[in-house]
Structure formats: structure tokens, C-alpha cells
Amino acid sequence: MMMAYDSSQTPSSRLAEDTIDAVRAALRQYLATGSSSVLQASLLRMASEAREKAILPEHVLIVLKDVWNALPEVRAMTDTGEQIRLLQRVVTMCISEYYSA
């Protein structure tokens, strides 16, 4: 017997805007101060939400990189090597939080 598709049981495939906003604010703070504690907390929140919604880690990283690349602070960087190093650290933190969530 076939059952009708129940969309109420399907998790949302998008992260909440307030989660993305929190990551954006934490990234800006990280770039301004170098402190990663707020960033790690926001990445943990994003990772936890992603896992609850069955969002793949590569999709989380796409969102993270889109937010990163849109930041005025990142666009203003003249040292692309430093920009890449910072992004690599952030991506590493995100992956770590995703698999620890």
C-alpha cells in the first residue's frame, strides 16, 4: 500500500536567517578582534541546526563562504594570502563544529 507524501515530516533545507545573521555578526567580530569564542558558538549553532535539518556539510560550507565573501571587511582586504588563511581557519572551525554537534 502506498502512502501519501507528508511534507510536514521533511526538515527545512535552509538555515534560519537569524542563524545566518548570527554567523555574519560573529565573523565580523572575529575579523575585528581575532577572538574566536563568539564565532565558535555561532558556528556550533549553525552546525546543530544543519544536522537537525539534514543539511549536508558541504552545503553549510557554501553558506558560510557566501556570508564570508559578502562581508565588507573581507572585500577590503588587500592581502589575499591573509584572507585565504583566515577563511581556512573559519572553515576548519565550521567542519569541527558540524561533526561535534
Side-chain angles (χ1 to χ4, degrees), residues 31-52:
L31 289 169
T33 67
S35 174
S36 63
S37 59
V38 172
L39 179 56
Q40 284 184 299
S42 68
L43 291 175
L44 177 58
R45 173 181 169 187
M46 182 171 73
S48 297
E49 180 181 332
R51 290 189 57 155
E52 287 172 11

Side-chain angles (χ1 to χ4, degrees), residues 40-75:
Q40 284 184 299
S42 68
L43 291 175
L44 177 58
R45 173 181 169 187
M46 182 171 73
S48 297
E49 180 181 332
R51 290 189 57 155
E52 287 172 11
K53 293 179 176 181
I55 298 173
L56 297 173
E58 53 268 29
H59 294 188
V60 174
L61 292 177
I62 290 169
V63 170
L64 178 64
K65 288 181 178 183
D66 286 347
V67 170
W68 172 266
N69 290 320
L71 293 174
E73 295 87 347
V74 171
R75 291 178 177 222

Side-chain angles (χ1 to χ4, degrees), residues 7-24:
S7 65
S8 67
Q9 299 300 315
T10 303
S12 171
S13 62
R14 291 183 47 103
L15 294 167
E17 282 303 314
D18 61 325
T19 300
I20 295 171
D21 290 343
V23 169
R24 183 179 297 110

